[in-house]
Amino acid sequence: LLMAINKNKKSGKKGQKKRIVDPFTKKDWYDLKAPSSFDIREVGKTVVTRSAAGKNAADNLKGRTVWASLGDLKEGGQDQAFRKFKLRVEYVHGNDCLTQFYGMALSTDKLRSLVRKWQTLIEASADIKTTDGYTLRLFCIGFTKRRMNQTKKTAYAQHSQVRAIRAKMVSIIKRETAQTDLKGIVDKLIPETLGKEIEKGCEGIYPLQNVFIRKVKTLRSPKLDVSRLMESHGSSGGADTGVAVERPEEDEDMSGDEDDDE
């Protein structure tokens, strides 16, 4: 009977509440910095738990990835907002997270707007290796278009022409990216240089339109080189030697008079 009475008896003082602590009091905000290939370097901010008890905040930040639209990374790039770049945090310098290019993709609505009737969709992919040790896979997409003065409604390419165009796409991608580092490839992806070259090179096989590098994946990355990363962000460790300035003639005359007085 005594056990039954004390079974549901609550322990502790009545009305005592558990203390609620805001989790953001233990966190810090860091700035995300894009490489110097982009006009606007401020990508955004990220939050991480403050370093404590053997847990370093920099270790939790490294490897984080973020997607950013080219419209936010390029001045006046609202017309190219459909192109998204994937950046990965490689190094933490103070309160700045230095990122590196990690991928690219076209937005879903842009891809769907390109697909239409009465034309042939052609896709190709190629694996390339940069001079600084990155292995990338580039995916290309293009569409056939009607020839000049064509009366036929459709613009379908034959299977042999599709195979020839696909082989031409791969050869142009490898030719344009040969002996190029990662920064050089990013500089070609921003203005869509590769798509224009492919469109021009395939003109003799079948006219193409809306040729884009629709996706880029990073298959393999080299070991982190901090000095190379700093160079890609426009901050080198070398000393600033300055620029030579010509001395005015008046200053030279005054210095000559001082020497005479002595």
Side-chain angles (χ1 to χ4, degrees):
L1 182 63
L2 184 62
M3 292 176 63
I5 293 172
N6 295 329
K7 184 176 181 181
N8 295 324
K9 190 175 180 180
K10 294 182 180 179
S11 60
K13 296 180 180 179
K14 188 177 180 182
Q16 189 176 10
K17 294 183 180 180
K18 187 178 179 181
R19 185 183 175 188
I20 300 174
V21 180
D22 186 7
F24 276 84
T25 58
K26 299 180 180 180
K27 297 182 183 294
D28 290 328
W29 290 90
Y30 286 78
D31 296 325
L32 295 168
K33 299 285 186 180
S36 58
S37 300
F38 303 100
D39 299 334
I40 302 173
R41 307 284 300 283
E42 298 285 343
V43 179
K45 291 182 178 290
T46 185
V47 66
V48 68
T49 304
R50 194 177 294 120
S51 301
K55 292 183 179 180
N56 194 359
D59 295 335
N60 293 330
L61 288 168
K62 289 177 183 176
R64 288 190 181 184
T65 57
V66 58
W67 284 97
S69 169
L70 187 58
D72 298 328
L73 295 172
K74 182 180 178 182
E75 293 181 358
Q78 288 77 14
D79 295 338
Q80 296 179 321
F82 58 86
R83 190 173 285 112
K84 304 179 298 179
F85 283 85
K86 190 177 185 181
L87 306 173
R88 185 173 69 170
V89 177
E90 297 286 351
Y91 185 70
V92 180
H93 182 67
N95 281 337
D96 294 336
C97 296
L98 305 184
T99 62
Q100 185 61 282
F101 172 82
Y102 196 63
M104 192 208 76
L106 297 185
S107 60
T108 306
D109 58 331
K110 176 65 175 178
L111 285 173
R112 289 178 177 176
S113 68
L114 297 174
V115 180
R116 298 169 189 160
K117 295 192 294 183
W118 322 123
Q119 62 184 7
T120 302
L121 185 152
I122 303 170
E123 286 186 301
S125 63
D127 292 353
I128 60 170
K129 192 169 184 179
T130 64
T131 55
D132 47 359
Y134 287 86
T135 304
L136 306 176
R137 180 170 292 163
L138 277 66
F139 298 85
C140 180
I141 189 171
F143 302 87
T144 58
K145 69 176 181 179
R146 296 167 60 184
R147 300 179 188 272
M148 291 182 63
N149 302 323
Q150 179 179 333
T151 57
K152 193 177 180 181
K153 184 179 180 181
T154 61
Y156 295 130
Q158 298 177 355
H159 288 293
S160 60
Q161 292 173 323
V162 171
R163 287 196 301 269
I165 290 173
R166 193 175 289 121
K168 193 74 173 177
M169 284 179 172
V170 173
S171 65
I172 291 175
I173 289 173
K174 290 186 175 182
R175 184 193 71 201
E176 293 293 324
T177 57
Q179 303 300 320
T180 310
D181 59 354
L182 186 66
K183 184 179 183 301
I185 290 176
V186 174
D187 292 340
K188 291 185 178 183
L189 291 174
I190 293 174
E192 196 55 62
T193 306
L194 295 174
K196 295 174 184 175
E197 289 293 328
I198 291 171
E199 193 172 328
K200 192 188 301 180
C202 296
E203 191 72 29
I205 304 171
Y206 204 101
L208 295 181
Q209 63 179 349
N210 297 328
V211 181
F212 295 100
I213 300 296
R214 68 170 183 87
K215 189 177 181 181
V216 179
K217 288 174 63 176
T218 301
L219 303 179
R220 188 173 299 171
S221 302
K223 192 176 179 181
L224 176 63
D225 187 351
V226 179
S227 61
R228 190 185 291 270
L229 182 65
M230 289 293 186
E231 288 177 6
S232 68
H233 279 262
S235 55
S236 59
D240 188 5
T241 56
V243 181
V245 179
E246 294 183 2
R247 196 174 183 184
E249 295 180 0
E250 295 179 359
D251 294 347
E252 291 179 358
D253 297 337
M254 291 178 65
S255 62
D257 294 340
E258 291 176 0
D259 293 341
D260 294 341
D261 293 340
E262 290 177 359

